């Protein structure tokens, strides 16, 4: 083709309707929101353009299950024939947007009340309906009633209609897949979800009271009472630990400042559970219209113990209005939220230490996890986070009071009982640092406070033992050495404990690896590298079997050393001590070894009776 | 070569998590990408994030994911924190875990084995040279590899040849590595880094310049500041070799400015040392080597420490000061390696001024 010709796109309307109606929205209930929002905007328009004093807006939703029809009626501005053609039947053109643009300069408050933007919302009717009939009478003087009908095809019918009052009624012949909306409870729940805060009363069926709140709890005369009630109703949660009301926030742009409009509230629930019940989520409204729940990107990442509801006209909804655009405005809103949340938490920490302590205790794991990543947040919570210790929950200042500047901790869930016992024996509680974030938190704390000694006790419990001369215990040592048991004598507390079995760090791993190497379970080259590691670690089989520490401070041990009983009794007692110490260590025993342990114990005790 | 589709597995799992609204599993990719983005600038934070998401995967019983995050924690220790010991411990643990039948179809296995090889190559590439080579050959023949691991096996061959100063072999392996890298900027930048070293050792400054230009382009495309700093430092070395002191000091300033906010890498100090040695700035070379030594000590790699001590001996030979003391320290460091004789031979050459 040698010449360029300018052509126009062709549109296949039924296909486009199908795509827009069925693919733009992910949830059929959204159609109800869109139609209610149109009804609301129509009422606002009538209020703005016509009779503000006398007008009382109203939306009614009725159901006819027999005919499978759902009807939404409003007493808003209604439409003229031209408006039906230009706006209702022109996809992508929105009267509300044009009205909003007109009002923006002279009447910004009215403009802010309008919600529609895209001229797409009416299409969503075809998401749930096979036929849509609209009957309308415009507020313009002497405007006739009109009837518009479409079954989602390329054509629509426009004719004279029957309607006396100004307003619009949309009648939806529901598709079978949308018949669930004919259940009144489902319908009310849907309206509550999407239109709870729309300032137009919405009545369902013959109900005499509107089903929506109309006013968000933070805009009521008594938000202190209304917000907790709302939390109870919507989140089904008991009394939150604190509620943080939100307000417009000025943010610094460097060269200038900007006011981010922000309404709503944040709250801290009673408890959270890491990765199972973490929060940091928001219900997001834009100009009183619900957009999405479970929004997790607006709050700072460390705030996984916070929930809330925001209404921010600054945010931009996507065309389906089920999500918000993560654009520059989104970042401003996020910044505004972080400023208010951080400020509020700081104030609570300073002015209401009891509440602050409850927050930190209720969300300890989540807070610890995020504090190790965020220095500012760490500074706020460092002294308040509580840890599980052998004396219950303690924060670090409380803990350090008892240990005089040292932090003792264990990272193993199983088999750390000895370390805890030894720590307690010396009057020192031991922190359980099993949760991954605890060790880095403690390290950060030690760096922060200086002069704090951090002592990991896993496999290093010998730090809590005091060496003593072994000569007075030679007979006991000899006994165990003859049995092939690695044995040492040391003094430790509690004095009531006669013996402990202590294993090197990661003993289980080394034993399993040795087994795998011995059984030739690793492919040759891999075995070579693993073997190299094992050689460097230089742990003998004897080391892996553990070392029995006899307590020189224990009266039974000293008595057995100084004044040993007859051989059979001594044998029974020492065997018992050894096996109990092994079992008490709680690790490094296979079921077969446990059975052997009890068998040996039984034989030794049986030996006490004359044969 | 059989490709295991690691990222296909990753994407598929995450698609399912998003499609089913599984918020917990969605965090796998969210926290992983956060960790990845901090690796160069704040590796400690990356490790915390990886540990967090690892704990989550363990709680959810996702064994292959737990191995995946353990593998990345190991990578973090080795390549970004430059910590040999924890990397070695974790690499062996991961390798022992990966061989279990439960991981038979887990696409992370090859990576786990590869990073074990890398750890040994960082700790003692001479002492474990045979095992490293055997493992590389074994993996190529027997283990289903993901594409990146397949590339990196060739990279390992090239680096081993560099360690033994077999420049021709290193050059050939690097070219094969480049071929395997396709248009992957990250890997191509690595390959050009090796070409820089080979060109420098051959005193071929034109080839060095070309390698720095190409390498810098790839590393900038990947926004890797550390890599860019290395190439700028090589440019400085090159300009000094070509006799342009003004350009040399300009690139030197650019390199150090680029590296300033990052956790310094031993490789960067090595290049700066060559820069100062080439200019006869022995005091400055020693200052750089002081920092390199501190980095080597912190990394707990006896290999890096020995290399650093040998470099200090080179400076001492030039200045005629402190050679005996430096030699003793180099000797002690070398003795901690599996085959000290290799390094002691090099030490002898350095003392005789032949290196």
């Amino acid at each position: 083709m040698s010449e360029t010709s300018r052509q126009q796109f062709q549109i296949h309307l039924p296909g486009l309707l199908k795509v827009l109606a069925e693919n733009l929205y992910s949830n059929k209930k959204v159609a109800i929101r869109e139609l209610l929002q149109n009804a609301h905007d129509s009422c606002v328009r009538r209020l703005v353009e016509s009779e503000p004093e006398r007008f009382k807006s109203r939306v009614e939703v009725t159901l006819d299950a027999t005919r499978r029809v759902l009807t939404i009626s409003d007493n808003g501005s209604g439409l003229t024939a031209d408006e039906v053609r230009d706006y209702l039947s022109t996809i992508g053109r929105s009267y509300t947007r044009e009205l909003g643009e007109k009002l923006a300069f002279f009447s910004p408050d009215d403009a802010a009340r309008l919600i529609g933007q895209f001229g797409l919302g009416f299409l969503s009717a075809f998401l749930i309906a096979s036929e849509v009939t609209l009957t309308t009478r415009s507020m313009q003087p002497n405007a006739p009633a009109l009837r518009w009908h479409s079954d989602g095809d390329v054509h629509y019918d426009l004719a004279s209609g029957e309607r006396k009052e100004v307003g619009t009624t949309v009648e939806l012949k529901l598709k079978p897949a949308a018949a669930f909306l004919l259940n009144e409870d489902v319908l009310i729940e849907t309206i509550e979800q999407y239109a709870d805060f729309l300032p137009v009363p919405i009545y369902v069926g013959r109900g005499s009271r509107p089903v929506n709140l109309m006013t968000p709890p933070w805009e009521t005369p008594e938000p202190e009472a209304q917000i907790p009630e709302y939390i109870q109703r919507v989140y089904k949660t008991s009394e939150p630990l604190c509620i943080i009301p939100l307000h417009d926030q000025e943010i610094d742009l460097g060269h200038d400042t900007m006011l981010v409009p922000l309404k709503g509230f944040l709250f801290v629930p009673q408890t959270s559970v890491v990765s199972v019940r973490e929060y940091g989520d928001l219900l997001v409204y834009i100009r009183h219209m619900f957009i999405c729940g479970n929004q997790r990107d607006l709050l700072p990442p460390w705030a996984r113990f916070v929930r809330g509801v925001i209404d921010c006209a600054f945010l931009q909804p996507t065309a389906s209005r089920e999500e918000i655009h993560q654009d520059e405005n989104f970042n401003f809103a996020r910044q505004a939220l972080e400023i208010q949340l951080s400020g509020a938490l700081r104030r609570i920490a300073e002015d209401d230490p009891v509440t602050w302590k409850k927050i930190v205790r209720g969300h300890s794991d989540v807070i610890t996890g995020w504090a190790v990543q965020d220095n500012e947040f760490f500074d706020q919570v460092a002294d308040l986070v509580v840890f599980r210790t052998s004396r219950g929950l303690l924060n670090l200042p409380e803990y350090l009071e008892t240990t005089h500047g040292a932090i003792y901790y264990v990272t193993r869930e199983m088999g750390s009982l000895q370390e805890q016992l030894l720590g307690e024996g010396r009057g020192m509680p031991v922190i359980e640092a099993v949760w991954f974030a605890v060790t880095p938190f403690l390290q950060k704390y030690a760096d922060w406070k200086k002069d704090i000694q951090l002592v990991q006790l896993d496999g290093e419990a010998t730090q809590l033992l005091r060496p003593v001369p072994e000569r007075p215990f030679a007979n006991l040592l000899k006994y165990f050495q003859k049995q092939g048991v690695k044995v040492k004598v040391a003094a430790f507390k509690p004095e009531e404990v006669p013996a402990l079995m202590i294993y090197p760090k990661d003993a289980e791993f080394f034993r399993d690896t040795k087994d795998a190497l011995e059984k030739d379970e690793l492919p040759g080259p891999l075995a070579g590298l693993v073997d190299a590691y094992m050689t460097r670690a230089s742990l003998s089989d004897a080391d892996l079997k553990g070392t029995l520490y006899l307590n020189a401070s224990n009266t039974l041990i000293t008595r057995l050393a100084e004044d040993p009983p007859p051989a059979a009794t001594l044998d029974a007692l020492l065997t018992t001590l050894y096996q109990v110490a092994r079992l008490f260590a709680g690790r490094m025993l296979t079921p077969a070894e446990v059975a052997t342990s009890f068998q040996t114990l039984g034989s030794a005790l049986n030996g006490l009776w004359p044969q | 070569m059989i490709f295991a589709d690691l990222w296909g597995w990753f994407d598929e799992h995450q698609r399912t998590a998003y499609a089913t609204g599984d918020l917990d599993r969605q965090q796998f990719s969210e926290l992983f990408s956060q960790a990845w983005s901090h690796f160069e600038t704040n590796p400690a934070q990356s490790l915390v994030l990886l540990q967090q998401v690892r704990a989550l995967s363990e709680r959810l019983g996702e064994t292959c994911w737990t191995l995946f995050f353990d593998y990345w924690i190991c990578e973090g220790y080795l390549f970004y924190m430059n910590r040999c010991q924890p990397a070695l411990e974790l690499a062996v643990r991961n390798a022992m875990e990966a061989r279990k039948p439960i991981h038979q179809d887990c696409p992370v296995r090859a990576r786990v084995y590869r990073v074990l090889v890398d750890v040994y190559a960082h700790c003692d590439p001479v002492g474990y040279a045979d095992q490293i080579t055997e493992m590389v050959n074994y993996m190529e023949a027997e283990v289903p590899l993901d594409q990146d691991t397949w590339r990196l096996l060739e990279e390992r061959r090239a680096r081993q040849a560099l360690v033994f100063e077999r420049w021709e072999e290193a050059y050939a392996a690097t070219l094969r590595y480049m071929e395997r890298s396709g248009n992957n900027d990250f890997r191509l930048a690595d390959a050009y880094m090796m070409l820089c070293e080979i060109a420098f050792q051959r005193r071929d400054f034109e080839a060095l310049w070309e390698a720095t230009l190409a390498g810098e382009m790839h590393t900038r495309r990947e926004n890797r500041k550390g890599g860019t700093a290395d190439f700028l430092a090589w440019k400085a070395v090159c300009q000094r070799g070509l006799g342009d002191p003004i350009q040399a000091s300009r690139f030197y300033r650019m390199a150090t400015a680029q590296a300033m906010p990052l956790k310094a890498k031993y490789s960067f100090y090595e290049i700066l040392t060559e820069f100062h040695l080439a200019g006869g700035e022995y005091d400055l070379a020693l200052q750089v080597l002081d920092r390199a030594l501190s980095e080597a000590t912190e990394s707990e790699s006896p290999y890096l420490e020995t290399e650093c001590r040998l470099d200090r001996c080179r400076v001492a030979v030039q200045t005629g000061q402190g050679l005996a003391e430096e030699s003793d320290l180099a000797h002690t460091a070398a003795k901690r390696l599996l085959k000290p004789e290799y390094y002691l031979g090099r030490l002898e050459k350095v003392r005789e001024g032949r290196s």
Side-chain angles (χ1 to χ4, degrees), chain A residues 274-275 294 372-373 435-436 506 509 516 521-523 525-526 529 532-533 536, chain B residues 23-24 48-49 52 56 59 85 89 92-93 99 116 120 128 131 135 138:
Chain A
V274 169
S275 81
N294 205 24
V372 292
Q373 298 173 39
W435 174 236
F436 83 92
D506 300 328
F509 168 73
E521 287 177 356
L522 305 180
L526 177 60
L529 290 176
Y533 175 73
R536 283 162 59 107
Chain B
L23 294 176
D24 284 334
V48 169
L49 283 163
Q52 177 174 351
L56 172 60
R59 201 180 284 249
Q85 273 316 309
E89 278 178 36
V92 174
R93 260 171 211 282
R99 79 197 165 88
L116 177 66
Y120 275 102
Y128 295 101
Q131 289 96 324
M135 189 66 184
Y138 163 77

Short mmCIF file of all heavy atoms in Angstrom, two decimals, chain A residues 274-275 294 372-373 435-436 506 509 516 521-523 525-526 529 532-533 536, chain B residues 23-24 48-49 52 56 59 85 89 92-93 99 116 120 128 131 135 138:
data_model
loop_
_atom_site.label_atom_id
_atom_site.label_comp_id
_atom_site.label_asym_id
_atom_site.label_seq_id
_atom_site.Cartn_x
_atom_site.Cartn_y
_atom_site.Cartn_z
N VAL A 274 3.17 -14.80 65.21
CA VAL A 274 4.03 -14.63 64.06
C VAL A 274 3.65 -15.59 62.94
O VAL A 274 3.48 -16.77 63.17
CB VAL A 274 5.50 -14.86 64.46
CG1 VAL A 274 6.39 -14.96 63.23
CG2 VAL A 274 5.97 -13.73 65.33
N SER A 275 3.54 -15.04 61.77
CA SER A 275 3.28 -15.74 60.50
C SER A 275 1.96 -16.51 60.49
O SER A 275 1.59 -17.08 59.48
CB SER A 275 4.44 -16.67 60.12
OG SER A 275 4.36 -17.89 60.80
N ASN A 294 -7.80 -5.74 53.76
CA ASN A 294 -6.54 -6.47 53.81
C ASN A 294 -5.44 -5.81 52.99
O ASN A 294 -4.63 -6.49 52.36
CB ASN A 294 -6.78 -7.90 53.32
CG ASN A 294 -5.75 -8.84 53.89
OD1 ASN A 294 -5.18 -8.54 54.94
ND2 ASN A 294 -5.49 -9.92 53.23
N VAL A 372 14.62 -5.89 64.81
CA VAL A 372 16.01 -6.15 64.43
C VAL A 372 16.31 -5.57 63.05
O VAL A 372 17.47 -5.39 62.69
CB VAL A 372 16.35 -7.66 64.43
CG1 VAL A 372 16.36 -8.22 65.82
CG2 VAL A 372 15.43 -8.46 63.55
N GLN A 373 15.27 -5.26 62.29
CA GLN A 373 15.51 -4.71 60.96
C GLN A 373 15.43 -3.19 60.92
O GLN A 373 15.87 -2.58 59.97
CB GLN A 373 14.46 -5.22 59.99
CG GLN A 373 14.47 -6.70 59.82
CD GLN A 373 13.30 -7.12 58.97
OE1 GLN A 373 12.95 -6.46 58.01
NE2 GLN A 373 12.67 -8.20 59.34
N TRP A 435 13.25 -18.49 68.83
CA TRP A 435 12.70 -17.70 67.73
C TRP A 435 13.85 -16.96 67.06
O TRP A 435 14.68 -16.34 67.72
CB TRP A 435 11.64 -16.74 68.27
CG TRP A 435 11.08 -15.76 67.28
CD1 TRP A 435 11.07 -14.41 67.39
CD2 TRP A 435 10.45 -16.06 66.04
NE1 TRP A 435 10.48 -13.85 66.30
CE2 TRP A 435 10.09 -14.84 65.45
CE3 TRP A 435 10.18 -17.25 65.36
CZ2 TRP A 435 9.46 -14.76 64.21
CZ3 TRP A 435 9.54 -17.17 64.12
CH2 TRP A 435 9.19 -15.93 63.57
N PHE A 436 13.89 -17.04 65.70
CA PHE A 436 15.07 -16.60 64.97
C PHE A 436 15.50 -15.16 65.29
O PHE A 436 16.67 -14.83 65.23
CB PHE A 436 14.81 -16.71 63.46
CG PHE A 436 14.07 -15.53 62.92
CD1 PHE A 436 14.75 -14.45 62.41
CD2 PHE A 436 12.69 -15.47 62.97
CE1 PHE A 436 14.08 -13.34 61.95
CE2 PHE A 436 12.02 -14.37 62.53
CZ PHE A 436 12.71 -13.30 62.01
N ASP A 506 25.91 -28.90 68.46
CA ASP A 506 25.54 -29.57 67.21
C ASP A 506 25.90 -31.05 67.19
O ASP A 506 26.17 -31.63 66.13
CB ASP A 506 26.20 -28.88 66.00
CG ASP A 506 25.76 -27.45 65.88
OD1 ASP A 506 24.62 -27.16 66.26
OD2 ASP A 506 26.55 -26.62 65.43
N PHE A 509 23.89 -33.27 64.79
CA PHE A 509 24.24 -33.12 63.38
C PHE A 509 25.53 -33.89 63.06
O PHE A 509 25.63 -34.60 62.05
CB PHE A 509 24.40 -31.63 63.04
CG PHE A 509 25.03 -31.40 61.70
CD1 PHE A 509 24.31 -31.65 60.54
CD2 PHE A 509 26.33 -30.97 61.59
CE1 PHE A 509 24.89 -31.46 59.30
CE2 PHE A 509 26.92 -30.78 60.36
CZ PHE A 509 26.20 -31.02 59.21
N ALA A 516 26.24 -41.10 58.19
CA ALA A 516 26.04 -41.10 56.74
C ALA A 516 27.35 -41.40 56.02
O ALA A 516 27.37 -42.12 55.02
CB ALA A 516 25.48 -39.75 56.30
N GLU A 521 26.59 -43.22 52.47
CA GLU A 521 25.33 -42.73 51.92
C GLU A 521 25.50 -41.51 51.02
O GLU A 521 24.56 -41.08 50.38
CB GLU A 521 24.37 -42.38 53.07
CG GLU A 521 23.82 -43.60 53.77
CD GLU A 521 22.94 -43.24 54.96
OE1 GLU A 521 22.81 -42.05 55.30
OE2 GLU A 521 22.40 -44.19 55.55
N LEU A 522 26.70 -40.93 51.05
CA LEU A 522 26.91 -39.72 50.25
C LEU A 522 27.68 -40.08 48.98
O LEU A 522 28.59 -40.89 49.02
CB LEU A 522 27.71 -38.68 51.03
CG LEU A 522 27.17 -38.27 52.39
CD1 LEU A 522 28.08 -37.25 53.03
CD2 LEU A 522 25.78 -37.66 52.22
N PRO A 523 27.31 -39.45 47.86
CA PRO A 523 28.09 -39.69 46.65
C PRO A 523 29.55 -39.27 46.87
O PRO A 523 29.81 -38.30 47.60
CB PRO A 523 27.41 -38.81 45.60
CG PRO A 523 26.52 -37.89 46.34
CD PRO A 523 26.21 -38.51 47.65
N PRO A 525 32.21 -37.51 45.61
CA PRO A 525 32.79 -36.16 45.72
C PRO A 525 32.16 -35.36 46.85
O PRO A 525 32.85 -34.60 47.53
CB PRO A 525 32.45 -35.53 44.37
CG PRO A 525 32.15 -36.67 43.47
CD PRO A 525 31.60 -37.75 44.30
N LEU A 526 30.86 -35.54 47.06
CA LEU A 526 30.21 -34.81 48.15
C LEU A 526 30.75 -35.32 49.49
O LEU A 526 31.04 -34.53 50.41
CB LEU A 526 28.69 -35.00 48.08
CG LEU A 526 27.87 -34.35 49.20
CD1 LEU A 526 28.10 -32.84 49.22
CD2 LEU A 526 26.39 -34.64 49.03
N LEU A 529 33.97 -33.58 50.44
CA LEU A 529 33.87 -32.23 51.02
C LEU A 529 33.29 -32.28 52.44
O LEU A 529 33.74 -31.54 53.33
CB LEU A 529 33.00 -31.34 50.13
CG LEU A 529 33.61 -30.96 48.78
CD1 LEU A 529 32.62 -30.16 47.95
CD2 LEU A 529 34.90 -30.16 48.96
N ALA A 532 35.86 -33.54 54.78
CA ALA A 532 36.85 -32.50 55.07
C ALA A 532 36.36 -31.63 56.22
O ALA A 532 37.12 -31.26 57.12
CB ALA A 532 37.08 -31.66 53.82
N TYR A 533 35.08 -31.32 56.20
CA TYR A 533 34.51 -30.49 57.26
C TYR A 533 34.56 -31.22 58.60
O TYR A 533 34.93 -30.65 59.63
CB TYR A 533 33.06 -30.15 56.90
CG TYR A 533 32.32 -29.39 57.98
CD1 TYR A 533 32.61 -28.06 58.23
CD2 TYR A 533 31.34 -30.01 58.75
CE1 TYR A 533 31.95 -27.36 59.22
CE2 TYR A 533 30.67 -29.32 59.73
CZ TYR A 533 30.97 -27.99 59.97
OH TYR A 533 30.31 -27.30 60.94
N ARG A 536 37.99 -31.21 60.02
CA ARG A 536 38.33 -29.91 60.63
C ARG A 536 37.66 -29.76 61.99
O ARG A 536 38.22 -29.17 62.91
CB ARG A 536 37.87 -28.76 59.73
CG ARG A 536 38.78 -28.53 58.55
CD ARG A 536 38.04 -27.72 57.51
NE ARG A 536 37.62 -26.43 58.06
CZ ARG A 536 38.19 -25.28 57.75
NH1 ARG A 536 39.20 -25.25 56.92
NH2 ARG A 536 37.76 -24.16 58.27
N LEU B 23 -1.94 -15.73 52.17
CA LEU B 23 -1.11 -14.59 52.56
C LEU B 23 0.25 -15.04 53.11
O LEU B 23 1.25 -14.38 52.90
CB LEU B 23 -1.84 -13.75 53.61
CG LEU B 23 -3.10 -13.06 53.11
CD1 LEU B 23 -3.78 -12.33 54.26
CD2 LEU B 23 -2.78 -12.09 52.00
N ASP B 24 0.26 -16.14 53.85
CA ASP B 24 1.52 -16.61 54.43
C ASP B 24 2.53 -16.93 53.34
O ASP B 24 3.67 -16.49 53.37
CB ASP B 24 1.28 -17.85 55.30
CG ASP B 24 0.64 -17.47 56.62
OD1 ASP B 24 0.85 -16.33 57.05
OD2 ASP B 24 -0.06 -18.31 57.20
N VAL B 48 18.63 -11.26 58.17
CA VAL B 48 17.52 -11.29 59.13
C VAL B 48 16.21 -11.59 58.41
O VAL B 48 15.40 -12.42 58.85
CB VAL B 48 17.43 -9.96 59.90
CG1 VAL B 48 16.14 -9.88 60.70
CG2 VAL B 48 18.61 -9.81 60.83
N LEU B 49 16.01 -10.92 57.28
CA LEU B 49 14.78 -11.16 56.51
C LEU B 49 14.70 -12.61 56.04
O LEU B 49 13.65 -13.24 56.10
CB LEU B 49 14.73 -10.22 55.30
CG LEU B 49 14.34 -8.79 55.60
CD1 LEU B 49 14.72 -7.87 54.44
CD2 LEU B 49 12.84 -8.68 55.86
N GLN B 52 13.83 -14.80 58.83
CA GLN B 52 12.41 -14.66 59.16
C GLN B 52 11.54 -15.50 58.22
O GLN B 52 10.68 -16.26 58.65
CB GLN B 52 12.00 -13.20 59.07
CG GLN B 52 10.52 -13.01 59.33
CD GLN B 52 10.13 -11.55 59.38
OE1 GLN B 52 10.97 -10.67 59.37
NE2 GLN B 52 8.85 -11.28 59.41
N LEU B 56 9.22 -18.95 58.72
CA LEU B 56 7.84 -19.07 58.25
C LEU B 56 7.67 -20.33 57.40
O LEU B 56 6.71 -21.09 57.58
CB LEU B 56 7.49 -17.82 57.43
CG LEU B 56 6.17 -17.82 56.69
CD1 LEU B 56 5.00 -17.98 57.64
CD2 LEU B 56 6.00 -16.52 55.89
N ARG B 59 7.61 -23.35 59.56
CA ARG B 59 6.33 -23.45 60.28
C ARG B 59 5.23 -24.00 59.38
O ARG B 59 4.36 -24.72 59.82
CB ARG B 59 5.94 -22.05 60.76
CG ARG B 59 4.97 -22.02 61.89
CD ARG B 59 4.70 -20.59 62.23
NE ARG B 59 5.81 -19.99 62.96
CZ ARG B 59 5.77 -19.63 64.22
NH1 ARG B 59 4.66 -19.81 64.89
NH2 ARG B 59 6.79 -19.09 64.81
N GLN B 85 33.25 -19.06 57.97
CA GLN B 85 32.91 -20.13 58.92
C GLN B 85 31.41 -20.43 58.99
O GLN B 85 31.01 -21.58 58.84
CB GLN B 85 33.47 -19.81 60.32
CG GLN B 85 34.90 -20.30 60.52
CD GLN B 85 35.13 -21.72 60.00
OE1 GLN B 85 34.40 -22.65 60.32
NE2 GLN B 85 36.16 -21.90 59.17
N GLU B 89 29.62 -23.95 57.80
CA GLU B 89 28.74 -24.77 58.65
C GLU B 89 27.37 -24.99 57.99
O GLU B 89 26.87 -26.10 57.92
CB GLU B 89 28.52 -24.07 60.00
CG GLU B 89 29.66 -24.32 60.96
CD GLU B 89 29.45 -23.57 62.27
OE1 GLU B 89 28.30 -23.45 62.73
OE2 GLU B 89 30.46 -23.10 62.80
N VAL B 92 27.46 -27.22 54.75
CA VAL B 92 27.53 -28.66 55.00
C VAL B 92 26.17 -29.17 55.48
O VAL B 92 25.66 -30.19 55.04
CB VAL B 92 28.63 -28.98 56.03
CG1 VAL B 92 28.62 -30.46 56.40
CG2 VAL B 92 30.00 -28.61 55.48
N ARG B 93 25.58 -28.41 56.39
CA ARG B 93 24.23 -28.78 56.88
C ARG B 93 23.24 -28.88 55.72
O ARG B 93 22.46 -29.84 55.63
CB ARG B 93 23.71 -27.68 57.82
CG ARG B 93 23.86 -28.00 59.24
CD ARG B 93 23.53 -26.75 60.05
NE ARG B 93 24.31 -26.79 61.24
CZ ARG B 93 24.00 -27.54 62.29
NH1 ARG B 93 22.91 -28.28 62.28
NH2 ARG B 93 24.77 -27.56 63.34
N ARG B 99 20.34 -34.14 50.55
CA ARG B 99 20.44 -35.51 50.02
C ARG B 99 19.26 -36.37 50.47
O ARG B 99 19.08 -37.47 49.99
CB ARG B 99 21.76 -36.13 50.49
CG ARG B 99 21.69 -36.61 51.89
CD ARG B 99 22.96 -36.87 52.58
NE ARG B 99 22.67 -36.97 54.00
CZ ARG B 99 22.32 -38.09 54.61
NH1 ARG B 99 22.25 -39.19 53.96
NH2 ARG B 99 22.04 -38.09 55.90
N LEU B 116 28.37 -25.22 48.48
CA LEU B 116 29.34 -25.94 49.31
C LEU B 116 30.72 -25.90 48.64
O LEU B 116 31.74 -25.66 49.28
CB LEU B 116 28.87 -27.39 49.51
CG LEU B 116 29.80 -28.31 50.29
CD1 LEU B 116 29.91 -27.85 51.75
CD2 LEU B 116 29.31 -29.75 50.26
N TYR B 120 34.31 -23.93 50.05
CA TYR B 120 35.68 -24.48 50.11
C TYR B 120 36.63 -23.67 49.24
O TYR B 120 37.79 -23.45 49.61
CB TYR B 120 35.68 -25.95 49.70
CG TYR B 120 35.33 -26.84 50.87
CD1 TYR B 120 34.08 -27.39 51.02
CD2 TYR B 120 36.27 -27.07 51.87
CE1 TYR B 120 33.75 -28.18 52.10
CE2 TYR B 120 35.97 -27.86 52.98
CZ TYR B 120 34.70 -28.41 53.08
OH TYR B 120 34.39 -29.17 54.18
N TYR B 128 41.80 -27.85 48.95
CA TYR B 128 40.67 -28.71 48.56
C TYR B 128 40.48 -28.75 47.05
O TYR B 128 39.38 -29.06 46.57
CB TYR B 128 39.39 -28.22 49.25
CG TYR B 128 39.46 -28.37 50.74
CD1 TYR B 128 39.74 -27.26 51.55
CD2 TYR B 128 39.30 -29.60 51.36
CE1 TYR B 128 39.85 -27.39 52.92
CE2 TYR B 128 39.41 -29.74 52.73
CZ TYR B 128 39.68 -28.63 53.51
OH TYR B 128 39.79 -28.76 54.86
N GLN B 131 39.06 -32.05 45.60
CA GLN B 131 37.64 -32.28 45.92
C GLN B 131 36.74 -31.32 45.14
O GLN B 131 35.66 -31.69 44.71
CB GLN B 131 37.40 -32.08 47.43
CG GLN B 131 37.98 -33.17 48.31
CD GLN B 131 39.34 -32.78 48.85
OE1 GLN B 131 40.13 -32.12 48.15
NE2 GLN B 131 39.64 -33.20 50.07
N MET B 135 33.93 -32.53 42.56
CA MET B 135 32.53 -32.19 42.82
C MET B 135 31.93 -31.45 41.62
O MET B 135 30.77 -31.69 41.25
CB MET B 135 32.44 -31.34 44.09
CG MET B 135 31.04 -31.10 44.58
SD MET B 135 30.23 -32.63 45.15
CE MET B 135 28.61 -32.00 45.52
N TYR B 138 31.32 -34.03 39.01
CA TYR B 138 30.22 -34.90 39.43
C TYR B 138 28.87 -34.19 39.21
O TYR B 138 27.93 -34.78 38.66
CB TYR B 138 30.38 -35.26 40.91
CG TYR B 138 29.13 -35.82 41.54
CD1 TYR B 138 28.72 -37.13 41.30
CD2 TYR B 138 28.33 -35.03 42.39
CE1 TYR B 138 27.56 -37.63 41.88
CE2 TYR B 138 27.19 -35.52 42.96
CZ TYR B 138 26.80 -36.82 42.71
OH TYR B 138 25.65 -37.31 43.28
#
